[in-house]
Amino acid sequence: SIDSRAEAGRELALDGQAATVLCVWREHVCSADDAFLRRVYPRAKKALELLIARDADHDGILGNARGVTSGDGWPGSIPGLSSLFLAAVRAGEVMAEELGDAPFAARCRGVREAGARAFVARLFDGEYFIQVVDLKKHPRFQYGAGCLADQLFGQGWAHQVGLGYLYPRDAVQSALKAIYKYNWAPDVGPQNAAHPPERWFARPGEAGLFTCTWPKSDYIPEGVRYREEIWTGIEYQVAGHLLAEG
């Protein structure tokens, strides 16, 4: 497994685990033959099985996630982590198909199809994907109806490595447009004057993509950590996805 940060108590890092499975597929499609994939497939499959086991209700959405590298954990269901999970499952599906592992390919396909349905039915608010969480029970470090910049992280990955759409194209493009509309600022100054960031990565007068905003609901004062920060990694991920979508 991929460990989280040391201060997190060596909990499984679900996002890192999913990304590592995706990296296996990426390295394979950049290879001249299937020697690499055949060598590492048993371990990639085992890593993915560990992830699938965390989907306790078998709906294709990772809920009540403790181990993530970007914070202290996520109760409820969140789109960013779930999209990474589904992208990894899709990678496992195509790897299994290519190597003739029909039973595991079918298992991954079932998880992927269930996840695609649940992701839209439960998390899409008609414009973008939200976190489904009880904020009365979990008032700190969540975002609820907020617009999170990396809500489609897994879909961006899927485009980069030729895995296609995980969710309906119109919903994906709607969510991306919302991220650009609500999170991108030509000048971060006004937002950071109202809500100072925990750490400064962009200064007033500079442009940036905020980690999270709340365009349709009350601002959550103790919402998701780093909400007012500008992360270049998320900026590159969102920009790459915007380009992929045209």
Side-chain angles (χ1 to χ4, degrees):
S1 67
I2 301 298
D3 283 349
S4 189
R5 300 172 304 189
E7 69 270 24
R10 310 263 339 234
E11 172 68 23
L12 168 67
L14 299 169
D15 46 358
Q17 187 90 349
T20 301
V21 173
L22 283 159
C23 285
V24 170
W25 175 248
R26 181 193 65 193
E27 296 308 301
H28 167 60
V29 297
C30 291
S31 300
D33 54 37
D34 65 358
F36 168 78
L37 181 60
R38 290 188 178 278
R39 185 171 73 251
V40 302
Y41 175 72
R43 284 171 287 170
K45 178 180 177 180
K46 188 175 182 179
L48 186 53
E49 286 175 330
L50 181 59
L51 272 181
I52 293 173
R54 292 298 182 101
D55 178 20
D57 52 6
H58 309 295
D59 63 354
I61 292 180
L62 287 182
N64 300 314
R66 288 187 56 212
V68 288
T69 55
S70 61
D72 300 321
W74 301 99
S77 301
I78 62 167
L81 179 60
S82 294
S83 72
L84 271 175
F85 169 57
L86 223 59
V89 169
R90 173 63 178 148
E93 178 186 356
V94 294
M95 284 190 280
E97 288 174 344
E98 188 156 329
L99 296 183
D101 186 352
F104 191 64
R107 183 182 178 196
C108 290
R109 190 176 308 113
V111 173
R112 174 177 60 81
E113 291 174 348
R117 292 190 298 269
F119 196 83
V120 175
R122 288 169 48 191
L123 306 184
F124 190 60
D125 75 348
E127 186 180 16
Y128 58 84
F129 297 94
I130 64 173
Q131 178 193 20
V132 176
V133 62
D134 186 340
L135 290 173
K136 291 183 179 180
K137 289 183 178 180
H138 308 284
R140 299 191 69 202
F141 303 147
Q142 311 307 315
Y143 60 95
C147 183
L148 198 70
D150 62 352
Q151 62 187 264
L152 287 171
F153 199 177
Q155 181 61 75
W157 249 110
H159 281 325
Q160 289 186 56
V161 294
L163 295 175
Y165 280 96
L166 304 173
Y167 315 107
R169 180 181 180 184
D170 57 349
V172 169
Q173 294 194 350
S174 174
L176 272 179
K177 290 175 182 177
I179 294 168
Y180 184 81
K181 177 180 179 181
Y182 299 128
N183 297 50
W184 169 253
D187 179 359
V188 303
Q191 175 78 352
N192 280 162
H195 306 292
E198 188 171 338
R199 301 167 298 184
W200 288 88
F201 296 124
R203 292 293 182 179
E206 296 177 333
L209 186 78
F210 290 107
T211 299
C212 190
T213 62
W214 284 268
K216 301 180 183 181
S217 63
D218 291 338
Y219 177 84
I220 303 177
E222 290 188 299
V224 58
R225 289 191 71 178
Y226 322 122
R227 54 199 174 275
E228 276 82 48
E229 294 182 1
I230 307 298
W231 288 11
T232 53
I234 297 180
E235 288 187 311
Y236 275 97
Q237 177 257 308
V238 172
H241 195 174
L242 284 166
L243 288 168
E245 298 287 347

